[in-house]
Amino acid sequence: MRKLTMIEHISLDGVIQHSADENNFPYGNWSGPYRTAEGLAAMLELYGERFDLLLGRRTYDLWSSFWPKAPSSPMADRLQAAKKHVVTHRPASLEWGPFESVGSDVKDGTLGIKAQKGPHVIVSGSSTITSILLEHGLVDTLVLAVNPVLLGEGKRLFAQGTPPRSFELVNSSVLPSGIVLNSYQCDGPLKNM
């Protein structure tokens, strides 16, 4: 079974939204000042040479408006080559490929993807599907790139209704820009006293 890794750039207060175009969010590209060559190298290592993507429709649309036009680079080239599994009700409008519609059933679609042969799968952004993936134990590794900022508003990775879960910290490193990379293995339901 393929492994699914969730990689998120997140503020100290849990915001993952980056697009100023969405819901009048005033802080577009807030992580830009903290992105460095060292950070890019760390992200390239986390993603690996070859991977597939699992994306919600909004993230797919945002990425497809940027990455196909981006100059060639290790990250751009890898994202271009990756198969994009897209959670959508409108598969006919997908254009940035290679792609495959997962349909609208996140749980069953993800189970199908994980059961296929192929490279590991990365989900990034896609806040509408992250809670579902966590609820059903479909995330094998959670990587949080915690940026040293508070935003106070915006879409949060762990929104109201996210199911309680336990995680085991397996790696933590600090980049020169102040970003802390924390990697966790999912450890099942919440363990409380």
Side-chain angles (χ1 to χ4, degrees):
M1 182 167 276
R2 295 205 270 179
K3 300 292 184 189
L4 188 144
T5 301
M6 185 181 295
I7 300 175
E8 300 290 352
H9 292 273
I10 190 167
S11 68
L12 288 170
D13 55 343
V15 175
I16 62 169
Q17 183 174 355
H18 288 272
S19 175
D21 298 338
E22 195 176 359
N23 301 329
N24 297 316
F25 181 63
Y27 307 116
N29 198 28
W30 53 265
S31 64
Y34 300 97
R35 295 189 181 202
T36 62
E38 295 89 355
L40 176 59
M43 283 294 130
L44 289 170
E45 185 176 334
L46 286 168
Y47 274 72
E49 288 287 330
R50 189 169 164 258
F51 53 87
D52 281 359
L53 293 168
L54 173 61
L55 302 171
R57 183 58 195 247
R58 277 182 250 156
T59 299
Y60 172 85
D61 287 342
L62 287 169
W63 286 22
S64 68
S65 70
F66 176 79
W67 286 110
K69 301 172 196 156
S72 179
S73 71
M75 183 58 86
D77 296 346
R78 291 177 193 186
L79 291 173
Q80 290 282 63
K83 184 173 192 176
K84 294 91 177 155
H85 299 273
V86 186
V87 178
T88 183
H89 296 284
R90 303 167 304 174
S93 61
L94 297 174
E95 295 179 1
W96 179 42
F99 62 82
E100 178 180 299
S101 172
V102 175
S104 57
D105 187 324
V106 176
K107 177 186 171 194
D108 287 344
T110 304
L111 285 169
I113 293 165
K114 289 184 77 167
Q116 298 171 0
K117 290 188 185 280
H120 66 280
V121 181
I122 304 239
V123 62
S124 187
S126 305
S127 63
T128 57
I129 67 172
T130 55
S131 292
I132 297 166
L133 295 171
L134 290 167
E135 176 183 358
H136 295 288
L138 298 171
V139 177
D140 298 293
T141 304
L142 172 65
V143 179
L144 300 178
V146 183
N147 287 250
V149 296
L150 291 172
L151 298 173
E153 63 181 281
K155 283 187 183 175
R156 286 174 164 67
L157 175 59
F158 305 113
Q160 188 71 24
T162 299
R165 305 293 289 174
S166 291
F167 295 87
E168 177 186 349
L169 180 67
V170 293
N171 190 31
S172 187
S173 60
V174 180
L175 300 176
S177 65
I179 292 175
V180 179
L181 290 175
N182 293 316
S183 296
Y184 302 91
Q185 294 294 316
C186 294
D187 198 25
L190 178 66
K191 295 172 179 76
N192 55 1
M193 300 294 164

